[in-house]
Amino acid sequence: MSKKIVLFSLMLISKDLCAQYLKVDIGLTSSRFTNSKNLSILKSRIPNYSLFIGSDYLQHKWYYLSSQFGYNVLGGKDEDVFIQNEKVIVTERLKYLHLNTTFRAYKRSSGLNLFAGVGPYANILVGPKRFKSDLYRDFYEFKPFHLGGKGEIGITQDINKLRLGLVGTYLMSLTPATKSDYLSLNNNAFSITFTAGYHLR
């Protein structure tokens, strides 16, 4: 797994060397777990955050590529759990190294860019595999790695060499974030991200 991280980082760095924009993205995320049987397991959303570095590159007349590498926190919670006749809130948070690349189609007018993008992502767990809550600890274990798809829409403004903007993102996991012998749990998230980039060439 460490070799994959190194290879992706080298690929991202090499792309940054010929990037039109280097950028930093800071986001607020709302995530929850889902399952195929629609059981109430960590289904309530919790707020989290993300921090990425990346690049926009290979820009052409109506499209470009965008890659990110950084830190993302996902999770979910149960709000109506009773343990020994006492109502408790069970919250689980997962810390990930997050990598993605999206294909963005854009429309430009007077320095203002409207875009929509889609592409794959990978989450690599950097925290413990075991659940914090005794309620799930003996049944589930977080997967060290899972894949998903990313959809996004956004707006950016180019001001001299700066590119500032807001991006709305949906992350849908395509492989389980955690599973037991009987049930898999995926984690899906919405986020709003502020992006700030610098034009290199």
Side-chain angles (χ1 to χ4, degrees):
M1 186 61 64
S2 60
K3 290 183 179 179
K4 292 180 180 178
I5 297 174
V6 171
L7 287 174
F8 186 93
S9 299
L10 289 174
M11 182 179 67
L12 185 61
I13 291 170
S14 66
K15 288 176 178 175
D16 285 347
L17 293 176
C18 62
Q20 271 103 353
Y21 286 90
L22 290 179
K23 62 181 181 177
V24 175
D25 295 341
I26 301 171
L28 295 176
T29 302
S30 174
S31 63
R32 70 187 182 106
F33 287 95
T34 63
N35 61 82
S36 59
K37 296 184 179 180
N38 202 30
L39 299 177
S40 183
I41 301 174
L42 302 170
K43 285 187 66 176
S44 296
R45 294 189 173 277
I46 58 172
N48 290 300
Y49 61 93
S50 60
L51 175 62
F52 305 124
I53 59 172
S55 61
D56 295 341
Y57 54 97
L58 298 181
Q59 185 164 329
H60 295 277
K61 186 176 181 180
W62 62 274
Y63 70 90
Y64 61 92
L65 297 182
S66 180
S67 292
Q68 294 173 309
F69 173 79
Y71 183 74
N72 200 17
V73 181
L74 302 174
K77 68 179 178 180
D78 291 328
E79 298 182 293
D80 296 314
V81 176
F82 287 87
I83 299 177
Q84 297 180 347
N85 295 322
E86 182 180 353
K87 185 177 179 180
V88 298
I89 295 176
V90 176
T91 302
E92 295 288 344
R93 284 186 168 84
L94 298 83
K95 299 176 181 179
Y96 289 108
L97 287 178
H98 175 92
L99 310 92
N100 73 71
T101 294
T102 56
F103 175 89
R104 288 180 174 179
Y106 74 97
K107 177 67 174 179
R108 182 181 177 88
S109 177
S110 301
L112 191 67
N113 302 290
L114 298 174
F115 69 85
V118 64
Y121 76 81
N123 277 332
I124 302 167
L125 188 67
V126 294
K129 292 184 179 180
R130 291 179 60 82
F131 277 64
K132 291 188 301 182
S133 170
D134 294 335
L135 189 63
Y136 300 118
R137 184 177 300 165
D138 293 333
F139 303 100
Y140 293 95
E141 186 175 82
F142 294 127
K143 306 291 287 184
F145 176 84
H146 74 267
L147 301 173
K150 176 181 179 181
E152 58 183 1
I153 58 173
I155 184 170
T156 60
Q157 176 71 51
D158 295 338
I159 306 171
N160 296 323
K161 286 197 169 188
L162 294 179
R163 172 173 286 180
L164 305 177
L166 289 175
V167 185
T169 300
Y170 179 63
L171 298 177
M172 181 177 68
S173 60
L174 301 177
T175 61
T178 179
K179 64 186 303 184
S180 69
D181 293 336
Y182 308 100
L183 189 66
S184 296
L185 302 181
N186 288 9
N187 193 279
N188 299 329
F190 293 96
S191 69
I192 296 293
T193 300
F194 170 74
T195 180
Y198 183 77
H199 192 213
L200 296 180
R201 59 174 183 158

